[in-house]
Amino acid sequence: ARLYGGELDSASFLDFVEAQNLATVVHLDGHNFRFVTRRGKPVALAAIDPSDEARTDMFEKDLKRYAVRGEHREDYIFATIDGTKWGKFLEQFSITKESLPELFVIDTPARTYWQDSSVFGISNFVEAVKSGEIEPRVQEKPKKGVADQVFQVFVDWMPWSLFGMLSIFVLVFYLSFPSIDGDLVRPPRPESRPSPAKKPSAAAGVPSETKKEQ
């Protein structure tokens, strides 16, 4: 565990506390991507293939080992991401499914990243980034349709976007549901139909028999 050596009432103390709330290696997904990638440090991000359990397990162990004991561990946040689920997103960083698992570094606020699939090993890759052997690249904005843009905004603002969507759903459901606070909801009355005319009785149209003469 790390100990804080500054002033307890300073802003740096709050930054220290927030930083300690992150795991040694964080798994990124839609709900925490924005939070983790905007903590003031570049993210050393391992794109993995969960279906390849043997290689993924070994790669994650190497990443965690460096995050705990590596020379430049204080300069980065270390994280993993499902490279099969987020394949479309990773294409802008030149990460393909065939290259998984692969480590790269992203600086989201600066829209900068470091990637080189020819450099193997966590330590070797980080050292190559620090020495300048792997040069930074500018993240290009991918061309997206309206649906993709809306989805990206939704992901960027998770979980608040999810809460907003649920609130809208509840409001629409409430407004469309019949109110029971005022008039009770009653089934409509059946339409009144005229009753059929009664047929005259057989005796009605027959004149009464004349009395027999006595």
Side-chain angles (χ1 to χ4, degrees):
R2 295 178 56 198
L3 298 178
Y4 178 71
E7 296 291 334
L8 294 179
D9 59 349
S10 65
S12 61
F13 175 71
L14 296 178
D15 295 337
F16 176 82
V17 172
E18 290 181 351
Q20 301 314 301
N21 288 332
L22 293 177
T24 304
V25 176
V26 189
H27 182 71
L28 294 189
D29 213 330
H31 70 283
N32 66 351
F33 184 89
R34 186 180 181 85
F35 173 78
V36 174
T37 59
R38 297 178 183 272
R39 307 305 298 164
K41 291 182 180 181
V43 179
L45 185 55
I48 59 174
D49 180 359
S51 64
D52 190 347
E53 296 182 4
R55 296 181 64 192
T56 295
D57 184 60
M58 183 179 299
F59 201 79
E60 287 181 330
K61 286 181 178 178
D62 290 343
L63 182 67
K64 188 170 184 178
R65 188 179 299 114
Y66 190 92
V68 173
R69 305 188 185 92
E71 180 181 357
H72 302 291
R73 64 185 181 279
E74 300 294 340
D75 298 334
Y76 300 96
I77 293 172
F78 295 88
T80 61
I81 191 170
D82 186 337
T84 57
K85 178 180 178 181
W86 295 94
K88 192 74 174 178
F89 167 75
L90 294 174
E91 286 179 359
Q92 60 188 309
F93 305 107
S94 304
I95 306 292
T96 63
K97 187 178 185 300
E98 292 71 27
S99 67
L100 302 180
E102 182 176 346
L103 182 70
F104 67 108
V105 173
I106 57 172
D107 186 342
T108 301
R111 299 193 64 82
T112 305
Y113 71 100
W114 293 257
Q115 184 272 341
D116 190 335
S117 56
S118 66
V119 179
F120 298 96
I122 306 296
S123 180
N124 292 338
F125 185 88
V126 174
E127 187 60 41
V129 171
K130 297 297 289 185
S131 67
E133 179 183 342
I134 299 178
E135 297 182 353
R137 306 187 207 177
V138 177
Q139 178 185 349
E140 296 181 2
K141 292 184 178 180
K143 295 180 181 180
K144 298 179 179 179
V146 175
D148 291 332
Q149 292 177 4
V150 172
F151 176 75
Q152 188 60 52
V153 171
F154 181 83
V155 170
D156 288 345
W157 287 96
M158 285 281 283
W160 312 116
S161 55
L162 180 60
F163 293 152
M165 185 182 69
L166 291 177
S167 300
I168 294 173
F169 175 79
V170 171
L171 179 61
V172 171
F173 179 79
Y174 176 79
L175 294 177
S176 62
F177 198 80
S179 173
I180 60 175
D181 293 335
D183 297 335
L184 292 175
V185 179
R186 295 186 175 92
R189 293 182 178 181
E191 297 180 1
S192 58
R193 296 179 182 178
S195 55
K198 295 182 179 180
K199 293 182 180 181
S201 60
V206 180
S208 58
E209 293 182 0
T210 58
K211 294 182 178 181
K212 294 181 180 181
E213 293 181 359
Q214 296 181 353

